[in-house]
């Protein structure tokens, strides 16, 4: 009886050989100095990629952050300035005859300082000056007394009786420049009419 011993597996038939030959393998780390360089390069690339991700995320958060509301615009000067008639006052020395003076109070309720650039009145035959001279500045929360002096230059063009006289005041602040008309009330109308009649009583119209 001839016996047959255990059959030796042929080349490439062992489990280890099959695994090494047919199973997919991951890239292996190079060895030696090149392997060290590879490790350093790989770590640097990962660090750069992480930094890029953080930078992108930070930029996105910055661009999408809630924005503070814009500060409110200051008010228009005419909305916060008031001019109030006070009383007749003595005409300053050195003023030519045919003039009369009165005082007004100019107040600024709120907002930035307001500059009074000019003060005028609508009647022909009358000119006007002020003390302090325009332009002058008034601050919020304060009141400035202003002396207005009217100069009658032509009685024929001045009104015999002022109905609702007003002053045109040019105002400026950081928001705008405005010309605003202030009606000073019945007391001012009466005093203005009395002054004009007293100056022009001997002048034919």
């Amino acid at each position: 009886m001839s016996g047959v011993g255990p059959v030796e597996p042929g080349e490439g038939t062992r489990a280890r050989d099959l695994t090494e030959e047919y199973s997919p393998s991951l890239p292996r780390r190079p060895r030696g100095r090149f392997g060290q360089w590879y490790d350093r390069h790989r770590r640097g690339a990962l660090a750069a990629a992480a930094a890029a991700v953080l930078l992108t995320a930070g930029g996105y958060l910055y661009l999408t952050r809630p924005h503070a509301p814009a500060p409110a615009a200051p008010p228009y000067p005419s909305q916060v300035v008031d001019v109030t008639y006070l009383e007749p006052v003595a005409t300053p020395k050195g003023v030519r005859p045919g003039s009369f003076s009165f005082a007004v109070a100019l107040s600024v309720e709120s907002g930035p300082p307001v500059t009074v650039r000019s003060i005028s009145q609508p009647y022909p035959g009358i000119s006007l000056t002020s003390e302090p001279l325009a332009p002058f500045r008034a601050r919020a929360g304060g009141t400035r007394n202003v002396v207005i002096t009217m100069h009658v230059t032509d009685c024929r063009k001045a009104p015999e009786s002022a109905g609702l006289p007003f002053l045109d005041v040019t105002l400026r602040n950081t928001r705008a420049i405005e010309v605003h008309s202030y009606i000073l009330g019945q007391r001012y109308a009466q005093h203005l009419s009395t002054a004009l009649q007293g100056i022009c009583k001997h002048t034919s119209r």
Side-chain angles (χ1 to χ4, degrees):
M1 175 176 179
S2 62
V4 179
V7 179
E8 293 291 334
E11 182 179 356
T13 61
R14 296 180 181 178
R16 185 183 63 184
D17 295 338
L18 289 173
T19 302
E20 292 179 351
E21 182 175 356
Y22 295 107
S23 63
S25 59
L26 298 174
R28 295 184 178 181
R29 170 184 175 277
R31 298 178 179 178
R33 293 184 178 179
F34 182 74
Q36 297 175 358
W37 175 89
Y38 175 82
D39 286 343
R40 289 195 299 270
H41 179 74
R42 184 168 178 271
R43 287 195 297 269
L46 290 175
V53 171
L54 290 175
L55 183 62
T56 301
Y60 175 78
L61 292 175
Y62 176 81
L63 293 175
T64 57
R65 75 193 190 284
H67 293 280
Y76 286 96
S78 62
Q79 295 175 335
V80 295
V81 172
D82 188 33
V83 178
T84 304
Y85 178 73
L86 295 179
E87 59 184 353
V89 297
T91 302
K93 294 181 179 180
V95 175
R96 67 175 182 265
S99 302
F100 61 98
S101 301
F102 57 92
V104 298
L106 186 146
S107 60
V108 181
E109 179 181 351
S110 61
V114 174
T115 299
V116 178
R117 302 188 68 176
S118 66
I119 304 174
S120 61
Q121 57 80 45
Y123 297 116
I126 302 175
S127 63
L128 177 155
T129 57
S130 68
E131 177 59 41
L133 291 173
F136 60 88
R137 177 174 286 195
R139 296 186 179 276
T143 299
R144 296 200 66 167
N145 288 350
V146 183
V147 175
I148 305 293
T149 300
M150 298 282 196
H151 311 279
V152 180
T153 58
D154 190 342
C155 284
R156 292 171 297 180
K157 296 181 181 179
E160 294 184 9
S161 178
L164 289 175
F166 57 88
L167 295 178
D168 288 326
V169 184
T170 303
L171 305 168
R172 179 184 183 276
N173 67 0
T174 55
R175 177 72 180 272
I177 298 176
E178 295 182 298
V179 179
H180 192 71
S181 297
Y182 292 92
I183 298 175
L184 302 185
Q186 190 60 37
R187 289 179 58 246
Y188 170 63
Q190 292 174 352
H191 293 162
L192 176 61
S193 297
T194 299
L196 290 175
Q197 292 170 7
I199 292 172
C200 297
K201 63 182 178 180
H202 301 299
T203 303
S204 61
R205 290 179 180 267

